Amino acid sequence: MNQRINRAMRIGLSSMAAALLVACGGGGAGSDAGSANVTAQMDQSRRTSSGSGSTSSTPTANGNFTLLAWNDLGMHCVDGKDYSVFSILPPYNNLHAQLVSTAGGLVTSGVTLTYEAMADATGSINTSSVGKTNFWTWVKSLFGVTLADNVGLKGNATTSMTPRPMTFNKTNKWFEAEGIPITPYDDKGVKNFYPMVKVVAKDASGKVMATARTVLPVSDEMSCKSCHASSSVSSDAKPAAGWVNDGDPEKDWKRNVLRLHDEKKMTNSAFTAALNQLGYSAAGLAATAQAGKPVLCAACHSSNALPGTGIAGISPLTQALHTLHASVKDPITQLTLNSSNNRTSCYMCHPGSVTQCLRGPMGNALDASGKPAMNCQSCHGSMLAVGSKARTGWLSQPTCQSCHHDGKRELSGVNAAGLPLVWADQRFASNTNAPAAGFNLYRFSTGHGGLQCESCHGATHAEFPSSQVNDNVLSKDVQGHAGTIAECTACHATVPNTITGGPHGMHTTGNAWISSHKNVAESGGATACAYCHGGDYRGTALSQVKMSKTFTLENRTKTYSAGQTVGCYDCHNGPNGE
């Protein structure tokens, strides 16, 4: 497919639209067409029993189905309001969902799933993107395709009060809506990086089976203005011809970037050849944009965020940007961006300081001094490591097992060279060769019952529980508290009693397990218990209770408060005691 795309690119930029339509976000050939839209806007999120037609507002699964929905990256970035100068990323968000029968198993046919906008607890709602960005004015010039207002590059519309269909992806066994062109401005023009969306599942007769409330996060905080705006504190990035001083701050830094790029590359034969190949002005990128044709950065510098882009012989976008800027000094601290070991350097360009892209348990963990215990570099390595030629952008990413192994949780998943740590223990491993041979990403991995890891743990960078209220709505709806969806009753009407058949090979929790765990420990030994309960059997983070629970045993009760760890000494004298 890439050969066809590259051949088309030599003809014109319209090939990029074709590439996006078949390749972005893991959809494409594995998708089936969706069915009819839902016709009614529900007043609130609720799970409906298809047998009785009754509704329930209780957070645990008491109907026949549980619906899980999630965004795949935890934060999608857009260029902002203006696309007239150049574009790094179009408005493009991905929504996935899986429907679970509480009798057991995924439901993959005979149902229709739709998505629609909904208000969050503050009343903020996002039902349109037109007028909040000029993307649709310039999409033809950038991607060679004409789109209707509010329609994205994969043909899916932004969230609205009209339910839109999701399609079933056979390969990943999820329902999806790829390329939703949502922006971070609600209908009142107020910034909301975490707009809510509702997913509804209906059976063939049109009866609602289940609903889910989730977040569709989007940020326009990705910017180069810290160094490239005409008002920058430092003049290190100032073009030789001087700052552009455009009155529009969104255009100003972009025009400065193009001017500087031209000055540095105009004598490069590969650059001048690319200008000709892409139909850009021979005078350079700044002149191209000035003449009314915006520049797509990925047209030259390939990006796996925009599959099929780039020109052979020109460095990929992630490699070019991170390698070039590794030696750049932070204008405030005067430290090189590569030498930084905290989020400050990354947040100069990536969302960040306001958006809080990294907002799950890893992002919120603090050390003894109250500072973040983990930073971007803890998983991705230094800026030079991110830009290494040995890495493939968007695919060579850290894995769950780099930090989670042998009952431990590391605070760094990479070595000094920025390479992921490798351990023999694969209990928390991402699936191999997902989404492509040689790569394994958390956001494409599956686990217990065929569920996607993200369906229970939350999206990358925003795993449950998140510091943002809207992120936690789904897990609270499903199981009654924020955090990894780990309560068996979230998906099982009848909780199975298993020793190793639960998520990550773990046992069932609840009174049924309390009554049988003694026999299991006596017959198999207590050694296996140490993985979660600790070598001293007094409990670890892996045996932590996430919500208050009371267990009945031997005519008495034992109550645990949320956050308390479970150990053998809680009820008797160690693993061998009475």
Side-chain angles (χ1 to χ4, degrees), residues 395 397-399 401 429-436 438-442 445:
L395 294 175
Q397 299 291 347
T399 57
Q401 61 269 32
S430 305
N431 298 163
T432 57
N433 301 320
F439 301 102
N440 54 335
L441 295 179
Y442 160 72
S445 294

Side-chain angles (χ1 to χ4, degrees), residues 48-123:
T48 304
S49 168
S50 61
S52 64
S54 62
T55 63
S56 172
S57 59
T58 54
T60 52
N62 60 359
N64 294 333
F65 303 94
T66 298
L67 184 59
L68 303 171
W70 65 97
N71 163 268
D72 62 337
L73 284 177
M75 184 57 63
H76 278 259
C77 299
V78 295
D79 288 337
K81 295 181 177 180
D82 183 74
Y83 283 83
S84 67
V85 180
F86 72 70
S87 173
I88 299 175
L89 288 172
Y92 196 106
N93 215 306
N94 297 328
L95 178 65
H96 298 157
Q98 288 183 306
L99 182 64
V100 183
S101 168
T102 57
L106 294 175
V107 180
T108 59
S109 62
V111 296
T112 61
L113 266 68
T114 59
Y115 67 94
E116 58 196 90
M118 68 169 293
D120 65 14
T122 70

Side-chain angles (χ1 to χ4, degrees), residues 2-361:
N2 284 341
Q3 290 179 341
R4 295 199 301 271
I5 292 171
N6 289 336
R7 179 179 179 274
M9 280 193 65
R10 290 193 292 271
I11 300 173
L13 280 176
S14 60
S15 58
M16 293 177 194
L20 285 163
L21 291 173
V22 299
C24 271
S31 300
D32 288 340
S35 302
N37 291 346
V38 177
T39 58
Q41 169 76 14
M42 299 178 66
D43 294 329
Q44 61 181 7
S45 174
R46 61 185 184 271
R47 188 176 290 107
T48 304
S49 168
S50 61
S52 64
S54 62
T55 63
S56 172
S57 59
T58 54
T60 52
N62 60 359
N64 294 333
F65 303 94
T66 298
L67 184 59
L68 303 171
W70 65 97
N71 163 268
D72 62 337
L73 284 177
M75 184 57 63
H76 278 259
C77 299
V78 295
D79 288 337
K81 295 181 177 180
D82 183 74
Y83 283 83
S84 67
V85 180
F86 72 70
S87 173
I88 299 175
L89 288 172
Y92 196 106
N93 215 306
N94 297 328
L95 178 65
H96 298 157
Q98 288 183 306
L99 182 64
V100 183
S101 168
T102 57
L106 294 175
V107 180
T108 59
S109 62
V111 296
T112 61
L113 266 68
T114 59
Y115 67 94
E116 58 196 90
M118 68 169 293
D120 65 14
T122 70
S124 175
I125 189 169
N126 194 333
T127 65
S128 177
S129 294
V130 168
K132 302 172 183 178
T133 170
N134 62 11
F135 170 74
W136 283 272
T137 300
W138 301 101
V139 65
K140 176 71 173 179
S141 297
L142 286 166
F143 296 98
V145 62
T146 300
L147 298 175
D149 288 351
N150 286 314
V151 175
L153 289 165
K154 287 292 288 277
N156 289 311
T158 196
T159 57
S160 70
M161 302 305 290
T162 301
R164 306 290 183 179
M166 300 179 73
T167 59
F168 183 67
N169 185 305
K170 290 181 179 178
T171 301
N172 296 315
K173 294 183 174 59
W174 66 40
F175 291 86
E176 65 186 11
E178 306 282 348
I180 299 172
I182 197 166
T183 69
Y185 294 90
D186 69 13
D187 290 355
K188 294 182 179 179
V190 178
K191 270 199 175 182
N192 183 358
F193 299 117
Y194 316 98
M196 295 295 296
V197 61
K198 180 165 58 179
V199 179
V200 179
K202 287 188 174 184
D203 64 18
S205 69
K207 179 178 287 187
V208 174
M209 304 165 70
T211 66
R213 302 187 297 171
T214 192
V215 69
L216 206 59
V218 56
S219 174
D220 62 353
E221 200 181 353
M222 181 181 66
S223 169
C224 308
K225 63 183 179 183
S226 296
C227 296
H228 291 279
S230 296
S231 58
S232 297
V233 174
S234 172
S235 61
D236 290 351
K238 186 177 181 179
W243 295 118
V244 172
N245 288 306
D246 192 301
D248 185 332
E250 287 213 36
K251 296 179 181 179
D252 177 68
W253 66 265
K254 290 187 175 184
R255 292 182 60 195
N256 279 322
V257 168
L258 295 188
R259 176 176 287 186
L260 186 63
H261 189 288
D262 287 340
E263 290 179 356
K264 290 182 177 295
K265 298 296 182 181
M266 192 55 77
T267 58
N268 185 306
S269 59
F271 175 60
T272 55
L275 292 175
N276 180 62
Q277 178 176 330
L278 296 171
Y280 289 169
S281 170
L285 301 179
T288 300
Q290 186 64 33
K293 184 177 180 62
V295 173
L296 181 66
C297 299
C300 291
H301 299 278
S302 64
S303 172
N304 284 316
L306 300 174
T309 54
I311 293 178
I314 295 180
S315 59
L317 189 60
T318 185
Q319 179 185 321
L321 289 176
H322 290 99
T323 302
L324 174 66
H325 290 89
S327 60
V328 169
K329 291 182 179 181
D330 183 316
I332 305 299
T333 66
Q334 289 301 301
L335 295 174
T336 63
L337 300 185
N338 187 66
S339 66
S340 175
N341 61 0
N342 58 48
R343 304 174 199 178
T344 303
S345 60
C346 303
Y347 284 178
M348 288 183 67
C349 302
H350 294 276
S353 53
V354 177
T355 304
Q356 295 299 323
C357 181
L358 183 60
R359 58 190 188 277

Side-chain angles (χ1 to χ4, degrees), residues 10 177 188 226 279 291 329 392 406 428 463 471-472:
R10 290 193 292 271
K188 294 182 179 179
S226 296
K329 291 182 179 181
T392 302
D406 300 301
F428 298 104
E463 298 85 358
D471 285 323
N472 296 321

